[in-house]
Amino acid sequence: MTTPEAREEAVLEAVGQRRELVNEAIPEELPIQRPERLYEASRYLLDAGGKRLRPTVLLTTAEALADVEPLSREYREFPTLDGDRIDAMAAAVSVEVIQSFTLIHDDIMDDDDLRRGVPAVHREYDLETAILAGDTLYSKAFEIMLETGAEPDRAVDALEVLATTCTKICEGQSLDVDFEQRTDVTPEEYLEMIEQKTAVLYAASAALPAILQGADEETIDALYGYGLDIGRAFQIHDDVLDLTVPSEKLGKQRGSDLVEEKQTLITVHARERGVDVEELVDTEDVDAVTEAEIDDAVGELERVGSIEYAADRARELVDQGKNRLEVLPDNEARELLCDIADYLIERGY
Amino acid sequence: MTTPEAREEAVLEAVGQRRELVNEAIPEELPIQRPERLYEASRYLLDAGGKRLRPTVLLTTAEALADVEPLSREYREFPTLDGDRIDAMAAAVSVEVIQSFTLIHDDIMDDDDLRRGVPAVHREYDLETAILAGDTLYSKAFEIMLETGAEPDRAVDALEVLATTCTKICEGQSLDVDFEQRTDVTPEEYLEMIEQKTAVLYAASAALPAILQGADEETIDALYGYGLDIGRAFQIHDDVLDLTVPSEKLGKQRGSDLVEEKQTLITVHARERGVDVEELVDTEDVDAVTEAEIDDAVGELERVGSIEYAADRARELVDQGKNRLEVLPDNEARELLCDIADYLIERGY
């Protein structure tokens, strides 16, 4: 019986190993070329770091499906279920490139200054360059997804998942913006929004290897569901972390969601419990808020049980997602996918 | 022997007939759905009008390849070269949707207020919504291109053309922005920039039906070249029109390229002839410039032969593009493609 600490350490090591490989692949798939400033801006956030969780889910799912030992095969020539080889790393990079595109455009829309501890792209460069860098990553993600070498019918299905995923991300972001003007968002509406804004890219990451490797519909659907579940849990946990992790560790002001009056599952729940969420923090300026104000706000949210409620929902989603993995062969990679799911809601930042 | 006037009238009628069909197809492919505000913003510019030149090129090329009489077949069930049926209209709408996405984001980058006589999307709505509307159209274009029903290997090739086209448009736009800071752009550099920014979407429009209908490489390449030629000619003629057509007819201030110090083939040429292009117009504010100032500037550009130079280059490109069409069967649709090429540089606005 392994301890939780040992399990978390094992997950971090597994994620770290794949992150290194993904980090090597990104410049190969997205070299700095003419016009250099555009490609430098496109790479800026990708090069600034990131956990590479979505590519890790994709690569590990590929291993679980192919029933091979983790890290025992080259991702660039990965076995399908019928004896062909595909470039699973291209798919993994494609998903990370989509993630990066959405962050660049989201930071413009939210007018955020910092991301991953460095200036947002529209701050480091300018608005024009940031819009264009995001647009470039968008089409590059499709180009890169076309480089897996999968059979044409599978490639078409993969491209369709990628396109519909991007559409849903936009719809989710639009709902998120709309929600900022509303004070009557229900938990169900919030969960639908984060499904579209955040979870669909986890779902695509889990389903894409199944599509590209030629798995059956049932397997593809189960893996898509796993991604939706853990992706929503990830977002809910992110909302919890925004309130509970020190600013230095977060890389941005703790409680900034409250200051900016963004809806989270926590605030939506608290409002249902009669809390005047808009009045929890006086200022709407992230630079003006004090740690004491945030402490008081968090205390109130704890008192009405909203933080615990969110944490419970995240745990339920992770358990549901893990159950869906029974469609996979019983192997080490499947275990790792379970551990990654747990890690998403146990991580400290 | 038909007169030029009769030919132009015939082109306008042919374009108008296809425009109506494209206009009917746009709401079918891109219905207003939840979240409504996002889809309304995405449709705003598409619904405001537009000549639909790129879809018209696509549909007419499909007719020329299939060797059928113009408008004699349903575009939704269009014959391929080997007896299948594809939805050519889906491809046509996809291309127009890409065009609309680039206009929405370009208007933000250029901070333009008007487009097609109506406010730009970021003015009618707001910056966030405009970015997101463009992003939504981007993925929708890929979704729509996947609805042609073409064989998977052809669908993959079509998607690849669409993705690389979008990347090149971004690269071209980036070069265009860079050029605004430079006073040593050569005509060759300018032509490369407009090839990427503008012509590749015409090239894709002409090549896509060949790909989807199963034509050979030589045909695909020739049609791509036709599109590159007429697309560059189109952009050069646009630059000429910006100086020569009254503001009311243009739907924006005449000479706005000069005021905003945008590079055009005309200014690049004039600078080589010793004209201090930056001093041609005193103000950098489109609302402050007078018609007399524009008249003087145009007079100077005419004196050094820059407008004539640009018009000559556009004519050469159109003639070159028309020659490439010899790869097509000799039919009425091919004639129409020739006439469309002429129209692109003879149109008054």
Side-chain angles (χ1 to χ4, degrees):
Chain A
M1 177 95 193
T2 47
T3 63
E5 292 74 22
R7 265 194 20 248
E8 181 169 344
E9 203 170 304
V11 173
L12 286 177
E13 193 188 344
V15 171
Q17 287 163 328
R18 283 161 187 79
R19 176 168 58 235
E20 294 235 336
L21 297 169
V22 171
N23 286 350
E24 278 170 32
I26 287 170
E28 292 167 18
E29 297 290 348
L30 203 65
I32 306 286
Q33 61 193 49
R34 189 161 172 272
E36 279 79 9
R37 188 177 147 87
L38 175 64
Y39 281 95
E40 282 162 10
S42 302
R43 279 269 300 278
Y44 181 74
L45 195 54
L46 282 163
D47 292 350
K51 298 191 199 72
R52 317 296 187 210
L53 290 172
R54 296 159 192 81
T56 294
V57 166
L58 190 149
L59 296 169
T60 309
T61 307
E63 291 173 324
L65 281 162
D67 206 10
V68 301
E69 209 168 307
L71 295 169
S72 65
R73 305 298 175 93
E74 290 281 339
Y75 291 129
R76 290 291 194 183
E77 292 179 81
F78 203 81
T80 67
L81 303 186
D82 41 15
D84 285 341
R85 288 276 179 278
I86 57 161
D87 185 346
M89 182 57 86
V93 171
S94 172
V95 163
E96 186 69 8
V97 167
I98 289 289
Q99 166 67 4
S100 193
F101 134 65
T102 64
L103 294 179
I104 293 173
H105 281 191
D106 280 6
D107 284 343
I108 300 173
M109 292 184 242
D110 297 339
D111 202 19
D112 281 335
D113 295 329
L114 283 180
R115 172 71 72 174
R116 291 176 179 162
V118 299
V121 176
H122 67 288
R123 291 269 172 263
E124 178 68 20
Y125 294 82
D126 51 52
L127 176 68
E128 293 82 346
T129 307
I131 292 174
L132 212 45
D135 290 346
T136 304
L137 291 176
Y138 210 150
S139 50
K140 276 289 170 186
F142 282 87
E143 287 187 48
I144 295 167
M145 188 60 81
L146 281 162
E147 285 168 16
T148 62
E151 289 176 20
D153 57 337
R154 294 174 187 172
V156 165
D157 288 348
L159 267 284
E160 184 155 11
V161 165
L162 199 66
T164 55
T165 297
C166 291
T167 301
K168 283 179 191 150
I169 291 171
C170 292
E171 292 174 356
Q173 172 70 8
S174 176
L175 288 176
D176 195 14
V177 172
D178 292 348
F179 283 3
E180 284 177 49
Q181 313 302 324
R182 286 177 51 192
T183 54
D184 60 349
V185 177
T186 64
E188 288 65 37
E189 284 182 303
Y190 179 78
L191 287 169
E192 186 205 354
M193 183 273 283
I194 62 170
E195 175 175 320
Q196 296 192 316
K197 183 180 169 174
T198 305
V200 289
L201 197 54
Y202 277 96
S205 300
L208 279 164
I211 292 165
L212 293 166
Q213 286 166 268
D216 58 33
E217 278 300 318
E218 188 200 341
T219 305
I220 295 169
D221 290 347
L223 288 167
Y224 194 85
Y226 160 81
L228 283 186
D229 289 334
I230 68 167
R232 282 181 293 178
F234 168 85
Q235 183 61 56
I236 295 168
H237 188 64
D238 236 31
D239 297 342
V240 172
L241 292 177
D242 181 72
L243 294 173
T244 54
V245 175
S247 303
E248 314 86 74
K249 218 171 164 188
L250 273 180
K252 58 173 186 172
Q253 173 63 50
R254 180 171 67 106
S256 61
D257 289 348
L258 279 183
V259 180
E260 291 164 1
E261 300 190 352
K262 288 190 84 77
Q263 307 279 350
T264 66
L265 191 55
I266 300 157
T267 60
V268 165
H269 177 270
R271 198 177 288 111
E272 287 199 335
R273 293 295 156 105
V275 175
D276 191 348
V277 173
E278 280 65 38
E279 298 304 312
L280 278 175
V281 176
D282 278 339
T283 178
E284 287 186 32
D285 178 0
V286 175
D287 297 326
V289 77
T290 65
E291 290 294 322
E293 272 183 295
I294 302 290
D295 284 339
D296 287 349
V298 170
E300 175 69 3
L301 293 169
E302 272 172 347
R303 191 184 62 76
V304 294
S306 299
I307 295 182
E308 192 181 351
Y309 167 79
D312 287 348
R313 296 300 302 261
R315 165 53 62 197
E316 283 164 28
L317 285 165
V318 161
D319 289 342
Q320 180 174 294
K322 282 156 70 176
N323 282 335
R324 296 188 201 271
L325 295 180
E326 275 164 31
V327 75
L328 291 172
D330 183 7
N331 56 33
E332 213 183 315
R334 187 179 88 175
E335 275 307 301
L336 184 52
L337 288 173
C338 285
D339 292 345
I340 289 170
D342 287 327
Y343 167 73
L344 290 183
I345 59 166
E346 287 165 8
R347 69 202 157 93
Y349 64 100
Chain B
M1 176 90 194
T2 46
T3 64
E5 291 73 22
R7 262 194 21 247
E8 182 170 341
E9 203 170 305
V11 173
L12 286 177
E13 193 189 346
V15 172
Q17 288 162 326
R18 284 159 188 79
R19 178 169 55 235
E20 295 234 337
L21 297 169
V22 171
N23 287 350
E24 277 169 31
I26 286 170
E28 291 167 18
E29 298 290 347
L30 203 66
I32 306 286
Q33 61 194 50
R34 190 161 173 269
E36 281 78 9
R37 188 178 147 87
L38 175 64
Y39 280 95
E40 282 163 10
S42 302
R43 279 269 299 279
Y44 181 74
L45 195 54
L46 282 163
D47 291 351
K51 299 192 198 70
R52 317 295 188 210
L53 291 172
R54 296 160 194 80
T56 294
V57 166
L58 191 149
L59 296 169
T60 310
T61 307
E63 291 172 325
L65 281 162
D67 206 10
V68 300
E69 209 168 306
L71 296 169
S72 65
R73 305 298 174 95
E74 290 280 339
Y75 291 129
R76 290 290 195 184
E77 291 179 81
F78 203 81
T80 66
L81 303 185
D82 40 15
D84 284 342
R85 288 276 180 281
I86 56 160
D87 184 346
M89 182 57 85
V93 171
S94 172
V95 163
E96 186 70 8
V97 167
I98 288 290
Q99 167 68 3
S100 192
F101 134 65
T102 65
L103 294 179
I104 293 173
H105 281 191
D106 280 6
D107 284 343
I108 301 173
M109 292 185 243
D110 298 339
D111 202 19
D112 281 336
D113 295 329
L114 283 181
R115 170 72 70 175
R116 292 177 178 161
V118 298
V121 176
H122 67 288
R123 290 268 173 266
E124 179 68 19
Y125 293 83
D126 51 52
L127 175 69
E128 293 82 348
T129 307
I131 292 175
L132 212 46
D135 290 346
T136 304
L137 292 175
Y138 210 148
S139 49
K140 277 289 170 187
F142 282 87
E143 287 186 49
I144 295 166
M145 187 61 80
L146 281 162
E147 284 167 16
T148 61
E151 289 175 20
D153 57 335
R154 294 174 188 173
V156 165
D157 287 349
L159 267 284
E160 184 155 11
V161 165
L162 199 66
T164 56
T165 297
C166 291
T167 300
K168 282 179 192 149
I169 292 171
C170 292
E171 291 174 357
Q173 171 72 4
S174 176
L175 288 176
D176 195 14
V177 172
D178 291 348
F179 284 1
E180 284 177 49
Q181 312 302 323
R182 286 177 51 193
T183 54
D184 60 348
V185 177
T186 64
E188 289 65 36
E189 284 182 303
Y190 179 79
L191 287 169
E192 186 204 354
M193 183 274 283
I194 62 171
E195 175 174 321
Q196 297 192 315
K197 184 179 167 173
T198 305
V200 289
L201 197 54
Y202 277 96
S205 300
L208 278 164
I211 291 165
L212 293 166
Q213 287 167 266
D216 58 33
E217 278 300 317
E218 189 200 341
T219 306
I220 295 168
D221 290 348
L223 288 167
Y224 194 85
Y226 160 81
L228 284 186
D229 290 334
I230 67 167
R232 282 181 294 178
F234 168 85
Q235 182 62 56
I236 295 168
H237 188 65
D238 236 32
D239 297 342
V240 172
L241 292 177
D242 181 73
L243 294 173
T244 55
V245 175
S247 304
E248 314 85 74
K249 217 170 164 189
L250 272 180
K252 58 173 187 174
Q253 173 62 50
R254 179 172 68 107
S256 61
D257 289 348
L258 280 183
V259 179
E260 291 165 1
E261 299 191 352
K262 287 191 83 78
Q263 306 280 348
T264 67
L265 191 57
I266 300 157
T267 61
V268 165
H269 177 269
R271 199 178 287 110
E272 287 197 336
R273 293 293 155 105
V275 176
D276 192 348
V277 174
E278 280 66 37
E279 298 304 312
L280 277 175
V281 177
D282 278 338
T283 177
E284 287 185 33
D285 178 0
V286 174
D287 297 325
V289 76
T290 65
E291 290 294 322
E293 272 183 293
I294 302 289
D295 284 339
D296 287 349
V298 170
E300 176 68 4
L301 293 170
E302 272 172 346
R303 192 185 61 76
V304 295
S306 299
I307 295 181
E308 193 181 351
Y309 167 79
D312 288 348
R313 295 301 301 261
R315 166 53 61 198
E316 283 163 29
L317 284 166
V318 160
D319 289 342
Q320 181 173 293
K322 283 156 69 177
N323 283 334
R324 295 188 201 271
L325 295 180
E326 276 165 31
V327 74
L328 290 172
D330 183 6
N331 55 32
E332 212 184 313
R334 187 178 88 176
E335 275 308 301
L336 184 52
L337 288 173
C338 286
D339 292 345
I340 289 171
D342 287 327
Y343 167 72
L344 290 183
I345 60 167
E346 287 164 8
R347 69 202 156 94
Y349 64 100

